Amino acid sequence: MLVGNALPQADAQNLSRYERQRRERIPREALIERSSVESTRGPAGLRRFRWDFSRASDKDFGGWPDNWLRYDGSGYPNYVSIQIEARDRELEKAVLPLDTAALRPWQKLRRLYPELSPLPPSMADLLVDRCLTIRLDGGLARVESPSLPANPTFQYQFSVDVRTEGLVHDHVFAQVVFQDAEGNELGVRETEHVTKTTDWTTLVLKDLLPPRKSDRMYVRLMVGGGEDGLEDITGKVGFDNVMFRQFPQLKIATDHDLGVYLPGQTVVVMSEMLGLSNEHTRLRLRLYNHERKTLGTFSRAIDPVEEAARLLAEEAEAEESLQSERPGEGEDDEDSSVADGASPSQAGVELDGSSSLRYRWDLSDLKPGFYRIAASMENERGASLANETSFVVLGRITNDPAEFGDPSRSQESILGLPSLATFQSESDVIDPTPFGWTVPQEIMERHRKGKLRERELAKWMQLVGIGWAKLPVWFGPDESDHADAAAMLAFRLRDLGIQPIGLLDQPPEERLPAYQLREQSDTRVANLLRDESAWRPELEPLMNRMTTRIRLWQLGADEDQSFMGQSNILETLERISTGLQGFGQPIQTMIAWSWVDTRPESVGDSWRGLHLHSPSPLTAAEMDAMLDREVKAREEAVMAGGATAARLPATWLTINPISRRKYDLDSRISDLVLRMAATRGHRVGAAFLSAPMEEDAAVLTRDGRPDELLLPFRTTSLLLGHRTNAGSLRLQNHSDNIVFRGETESVLMVWSDSPNLEHLYLGENVYEVDVWGRRKPVEVIQHEGRRVHRLVVDRVPKFYVGIDQSLADFRMSVRLDRTRIDSLLGLQQPLGVRFRNPIKQSLSGELAMVAPDSWRLDAGLKPWNLLPKESNQVDFGVTLENNATIGAYQLPLDFRFETLPPTLIRVHRTMSIGPDGFDIRVSTRLIDDDQGGRLRVKIEMVNHTNRLTNFDCLLFAGRERQYERRVLVLPPRETVERNIDWPMGGQLVGTRMWLRAIEQDGNRVINHSFDAQP
């Protein structure tokens, strides 16, 4: 007993002043009185708390707000000045003499009126606005308010005014901390950060919901250092008007915690209102789609007396039901809270602060898509409160029966196995889609606390298209239950075809001293795993439990590239892998690497490869270029004989979405989909979202529910994950597209920077899927005498599933043997069409070239025959008529296949007509001359040959104008320009003009038409 009593006393003596005061337990009922806060109640009885750092906050005139605390830990020196100052120092100087002058007459008044205070009212206190000022001097600062009562029945809005001056590295923000009655921290919310020089601005935290069991809350006013570790030695920060506003709490949720619904399921929306006052209120619920279009509404007028009576009646009914289950009890009880014969509205009951009103709204027959439910509560004074939740309804976007779960797999396939059972065999290989996530810590925490069971979490991950899951699993050595839970989750994931990856990112903060870091602030993984004698006792007990289920591990987060630059990296990683393996199963490891840094040429037995990460997301084109460059470098090394036979590193990528604050929704969706698609054309093992719960990423909300990009991720993952880039089709209207080849079905992805329309035949049984998972048949029409699919194309990619891959391969094989025909009028020139039979059967048919009217062909239709996998060329003779103009032509090629029934497809190839060895360019502009303007036509010709050539140029501007004539003499390898000015040029703008250039001493005639532009 003596030792037990002495230890806490000794500990208390070692605590700093800050720690002693923060740990002091003040009774809840005394918090407001001890807080020196201005506390008021609004018309509905709701509280407002405010610290304005006025004289009322500094009753002892000490320049420090009463009962506030200053954190004095490492890095927070006391020499950094923090005190209450006037926001306008000049005004304070002007007013203080008035206070001094009032002292003498005030003493005379006190002789007449002794009840007056010793000092007169201060004009400075009345007129001068004060704030808490921090003057920086190379250190950090943290100031904490007294605690205030927090009630989970209500929600709060927090705000603080901030001003910064001269900051370069430091950033300023505020935190709201919730605690239980024992002082345990339950949650922290943080405002946005302010830096540089910023005038007074208000930082706001809306919808502050105290965690369950919250008893009190307080504020931290923070000045933190830069990400590079540097701190400002000069600068000034001001805080003012620290405020909490109390509101009734409006909760909105659905019956599925994670907000994912299968087709046909009814979505049950549940709203709950807490902390209501006795005011008439209206509840409104609105259903929105991803475009914020209203799809449905629910409205309920709430009369407080009626609702209170309803709650009382429900309680009475529940009590009667309970009584009926207890025979002989309560039969003679005549006491009732509602008198006989009185209606509920006459009973005099009313709502109190603990009343909870719940309403339900069932939504059925919803189409696949992303939905929001917005709830609002409005009272008669116009005050309103709003909240929002989201959910998705999945669509069946594939023909795979396992899309929503493998029907052949037992849902209880691993029940009954011991908690540390290993894989059945090493050959138990899964084939996940190559897109994954780093599972958010918040989700893992919910799982460890039993709020999400393994089966529920694994099933959710399968439904949203996750193929690889990085699980943050760095625990303390005494947290074996956490390790077992992670191991069981990993088994569940593998059971559903998802590859689990153990992520060793950061150990628990309280365990950091055990790792004996050289630099305490540098907690990157290479430093944490530097000393095996330090980290092995910490990790071995856990790894022995987890490596039986998790064979693949990543050392460090995706942005932790601390292993880069180590000279003996291969030996280091092999040693770490062996140590982590311990007495468990053999493991393989991955590390993070920079896109721009030189990559290792080979990996070891345990070290598997690299996760490539860039702080700023790369575009799809940049990813393509970087990965192509890697392939080219390896090919060059092979050609030079420098390549080794060692195993190449596996490649993983980060594909984090671009910022929702900077880009619109369509841009963000297109960017994510195109980057996911880009990985399917390269040797990429997996691509990951590293922070799906970040607000800026818009994949999950902070409570783990769906956000805007969840469905686009799922759709792309499921449709492209097991398919590879087979090339692109050249479409008539130039829409961008990629063909993805699959084992059983192929997919065409199409998009365009501007709205577009394409017509082509894709095969039978083709259907369209948009990024929201909505599936529909593709419209089939007759177009130019052919049966084709009509594709409506826009910025956001669409997927056409089940296309005929052999037709796509045939289309992509069609080539012209040249891209340009010389502008020799009246002379026949050859033009060949090459194509290949992509299937294992013979093909035959006819080819028609649909030439412009100014062309003459030797034959409009020519037969062809191809053996399996054989290539062929069909030649046409092309003669240009007298009116043939130079320029680019879209040349339609119609292929008729002798099938039952016959198949007819059209492909388009670009063909240019122009003088061989010469280029001609024409431009126009309108020159103001106060007489209707002069239209200047600039003719520019380039001679690429080694001979002197003359062209006689005739320029026509319609029948009502005389043509103009110029002769251009073109020396070898030179460019010549001529200008022709037309009077009254404004009349010519928009008309079609014609240039005819005749080669002297030659047989070329160049016809070129163009529109006159101002």
Side-chain angles (χ1 to χ4, degrees), residues 952-955 963-967 980 1000:
D952 188 7
C953 299
L954 304 176
L955 182 60
Y963 68 84
E964 293 285 341
R965 184 173 188 173
R966 298 290 188 276
V967 175
I980 302 176
Q1000 298 178 355

Side-chain angles (χ1 to χ4, degrees), residues 414 447-448 450-461 481 484-493 496 549:
I414 64 171
H447 166 248
R448 286 195 292 270
K451 297 179 181 179
L452 279 175
R453 296 179 302 166
E454 289 92 359
R455 183 182 295 109
E456 180 185 4
L457 179 53
K459 183 66 176 178
W460 171 76
M461 293 168 70
D481 55 334
D484 288 346
M488 180 58 76
L489 175 60
F491 204 119
R492 289 288 185 189
L493 292 173
L496 293 178
R549 301 281 182 84

Side-chain angles (χ1 to χ4, degrees), residues 120 138 187 243 581 623 776 819 906:
M243 189 183 310
Q581 173 184 323
M623 285 175 53
K776 67 177 183 180
T819 59
R906 171 172 288 185

Side-chain angles (χ1 to χ4, degrees), residues 602-809:
S602 63
V603 292
D605 295 331
S606 298
W607 177 28
R608 178 170 173 175
L610 308 171
H611 181 118
L612 303 180
H613 177 82
S614 172
S616 300
L618 301 179
T619 65
E622 290 169 340
M623 285 175 53
D624 264 329
M626 299 285 277
L627 294 168
D628 283 341
R629 187 179 67 178
E630 179 186 7
V631 172
K632 184 178 180 180
R634 294 194 181 280
E635 290 176 349
E636 290 175 350
V638 171
M639 296 295 293
T644 65
R647 185 171 59 182
L648 298 176
T651 300
W652 293 353
L653 308 177
T654 301
I655 52 170
N656 289 339
I658 56 178
S659 170
R660 78 189 309 168
R661 290 175 296 180
K662 298 179 180 178
Y663 300 94
D664 61 61
L665 178 59
D666 285 352
S667 297
R668 290 183 283 121
I669 292 173
S670 299
D671 176 79
L672 177 61
V673 171
L674 293 180
R675 282 191 288 138
M676 293 175 72
T679 66
R680 306 311 303 136
H682 300 277
R683 193 178 62 87
V684 175
F688 292 87
L689 305 182
S690 62
M693 199 177 276
E694 279 190 1
E695 183 178 1
D696 215 24
V699 179
L700 294 179
T701 63
R702 65 171 181 253
D703 56 355
R705 297 185 70 85
D707 211 334
E708 296 167 329
L709 296 190
L710 179 63
L711 280 183
F713 171 87
R714 173 187 188 264
T715 300
T716 309
S717 176
L718 295 186
L719 291 181
L720 305 188
H722 290 105
R723 297 177 170 92
T724 57
N725 187 329
S728 297
L729 304 177
R730 280 181 276 181
L731 302 180
Q732 181 178 7
N733 293 322
H734 310 292
S735 295
D736 296 303
N737 67 93
I738 305 175
V739 176
F740 295 93
R741 190 191 312 276
E743 292 185 1
T744 57
E745 281 185 326
S746 294
V747 173
L748 175 67
M749 186 177 81
V750 187
W751 72 100
S752 175
D753 290 338
S754 57
N756 212 347
L757 201 61
E758 300 287 357
H759 298 95
L760 73 160
Y761 178 70
L762 296 173
E764 300 297 324
N765 304 316
V766 180
Y767 59 91
E768 176 190 299
V769 178
D770 66 12
V771 293
W772 306 107
R774 297 176 295 194
R775 172 175 173 169
K776 67 177 183 180
V778 188
E779 183 182 3
V780 179
I781 63 172
Q782 288 292 322
H783 179 72
E784 297 177 345
R786 295 170 293 113
R787 180 172 172 266
V788 298
H789 292 102
R790 182 175 182 269
L791 312 186
V792 180
V793 188
D794 214 326
R795 286 177 59 196
V796 177
K798 293 180 181 177
F799 304 89
Y800 295 91
V801 185
I803 67 170
D804 189 320
Q805 184 62 52
S806 60
L807 278 181
D809 289 338

Side-chain angles (χ1 to χ4, degrees), residues 155-174:
Q155 69 181 25
Y156 297 85
Q157 176 178 296
F158 168 78
S159 63
V160 58
D161 294 344
V162 175
R163 180 180 183 270
T164 58
E165 181 180 328
L167 272 61
V168 177
H169 306 288
D170 289 353
H171 50 277
V172 178
F173 58 100

Side-chain angles (χ1 to χ4, degrees), residues 37 67 76 85 156 294 427 429 503 697 759 789:
V37 72
N67 298 317
Y76 294 81
E85 295 182 357
Y156 297 85
T294 303
S427 62
V429 178
L503 176 60
H759 298 95
H789 292 102

